[in-house]
Amino acid sequence: MTAFARRARAVAGRMHPELSLVAYTLLGHLEERGGCRATDLAAHCALDKSTVSRQVAALRRAGLVERRADPQDHRVQVLHLTDPGRRTLDRVTESRRAAFRERLKDWPEEDLVRFAGYLVRYNAASPEQAEEAAARREE
């Protein structure tokens, strides 16, 4: 998992050197949701609000994200991808897909099916379930 995380950070850095992997994760969630508040980003990603604030500031400086008043409550600011933000995210997504295709191209079909099943299972586990499983392994 450590090697996987390092590789992901390295790819993110090559795609847009000023932005972290966390920033790309935030961009993806903003696209998926069609925009949301910074506090919603923090909750979704299980990050501290100050971490999200720094990341959002970097995204705004890079011109990838903008703030807009919420139409239902003008006191609330909602973050949205800009057109350059959407293009950057699309480029990164395609680059990641190409890297995955290259790494997995020689895997037999049954290994790919098994791997995909493990990823689905891993991603479906809540953070609490993952912590409980880790604690059981340590006992």
Side-chain angles (χ1 to χ4, degrees):
M1 292 302 292
T2 301
F4 180 80
R6 280 190 196 125
R7 192 175 305 118
R9 281 192 295 274
V11 169
R14 284 193 303 272
M15 294 308 297
H16 205 293
E18 305 92 61
L19 300 178
S20 69
L21 180 59
V22 172
Y24 284 113
T25 303
L26 300 179
L27 286 176
H29 188 67
L30 287 175
E31 180 184 51
E32 186 179 294
R33 297 289 309 232
C36 68
R37 299 176 306 161
T39 54
D40 297 332
L41 279 175
H44 173 76
C45 297
L47 294 170
D48 186 78
K49 290 178 188 177
S50 65
T51 300
V52 170
S53 178
R54 284 190 303 277
Q55 294 294 326
V56 166
L59 292 169
R60 290 184 69 211
R61 280 192 306 276
L64 305 178
V65 169
E66 64 186 1
R67 291 184 188 271
R68 296 185 209 152
D70 185 327
Q72 270 57 26
D73 184 349
H74 292 285
R75 297 170 297 172
V76 174
Q77 295 290 307
V78 178
L79 299 167
H80 292 273
L81 289 179
T82 61
D83 288 338
R86 193 166 281 103
R87 286 191 299 271
T88 297
L89 184 62
D90 289 347
R91 191 173 59 248
V92 170
T93 299
E94 184 49 42
S95 174
R96 285 184 178 166
R97 286 180 180 157
F100 284 128
R101 280 191 296 271
E102 179 62 26
R103 282 190 165 275
L104 301 173
K105 71 181 181 184
D106 297 327
W107 286 33
E109 180 72 22
E110 69 243 15
D111 288 353
L112 290 170
V113 169
R114 192 175 309 119
F115 182 59
Y118 291 147
L119 286 174
V120 167
R121 182 174 160 194
Y122 177 82
N123 287 326
S126 70
E128 295 81 19
Q129 289 171 320
E131 288 174 16
E132 289 172 10
R136 282 193 302 275
R137 282 191 300 276
E138 290 176 4
E139 291 175 352

